[in-house]
Amino acid sequence: MTKIKLTNWKLCAPLALPRAGCAVGVTGGKLLVAGGTYWAGEKKFWDARVDAYDAATDRWHSLAPLPQPWGDAAAVAVGDAFYILGGGAEGLAQKDVHCHERGAWSVVARMALPEPRRSSAAAVLDGSIYLLGGLTGTGSDFASATNSLWSARPG
């Protein structure tokens, strides 16, 4: 097992837009940040923006946006593909799986989640994607939290 020794945190270039609930992963040596939410005044917005961070230059670059605003999704990277699992907009959980590969976004219908989920956690183990928990309800329905664990193998 590789041990990482953190000595201190370093402030890096900020995102172009403050965001929470965004999907994050690493592909092609870049940190990708997709979608998410932010507040302006008293209103919450869901965003379709996608940015890539280059640690070598400490710079962000815009990429093709998501097909629609999206937030509160889990995300993983498998090889050169970046998957966004579940999430949604306007507080509604969705089953969709989006994939960013070769500079373009697509919906991967064959990998749709069995049920809508948002605010889940995801990880990759031995080439399979695992999705844990999440909320099935809308808005702040935290009573809809689940203990489900699903797995899928891209391909």
Side-chain angles (χ1 to χ4, degrees):
M1 178 160 88
T2 304
K3 292 185 179 182
I4 298 173
K5 181 181 178 185
L6 290 178
T7 55
N8 56 29
W9 288 96
K10 173 186 149 190
L11 184 63
C12 301
L15 287 162
L17 166 74
R19 286 188 263 184
C22 47
V24 178
V26 176
T27 61
K30 305 283 189 278
L31 177 71
L32 298 187
V33 178
T37 62
Y38 64 94
W39 287 83
E42 298 293 316
K43 185 165 172 49
K44 184 176 184 177
F45 293 90
W46 280 260
D47 195 49
R49 186 183 179 102
V50 179
D51 295 294
Y53 177 73
D54 184 335
T57 63
D58 190 33
R59 292 182 189 256
W60 290 95
H61 304 280
S62 293
L63 299 179
L66 288 162
Q68 66 229 19
W70 210 256
D72 302 324
V76 294
V78 179
D80 290 331
F82 175 60
Y83 293 94
I84 296 178
L85 313 160
E90 305 298 326
L92 298 174
Q94 302 290 331
K95 301 189 318 182
D96 296 345
V97 173
H98 295 86
C99 179
H100 184 269
E101 194 169 23
R102 292 187 278 286
W105 286 100
S106 62
V107 174
V108 188
R110 72 182 184 286
M111 286 182 66
L113 303 179
E115 298 173 357
R117 287 290 186 274
R118 63 185 183 84
S119 302
S120 298
V124 176
L125 175 64
D126 295 330
S128 290
I129 298 171
Y130 289 85
L131 186 76
L132 173 67
L135 304 173
T136 61
T138 60
S140 59
D141 180 11
F142 297 108
S144 72
T146 71
N147 64 349
S148 59
L149 176 64
W150 298 325
S151 69
R153 192 167 190 92

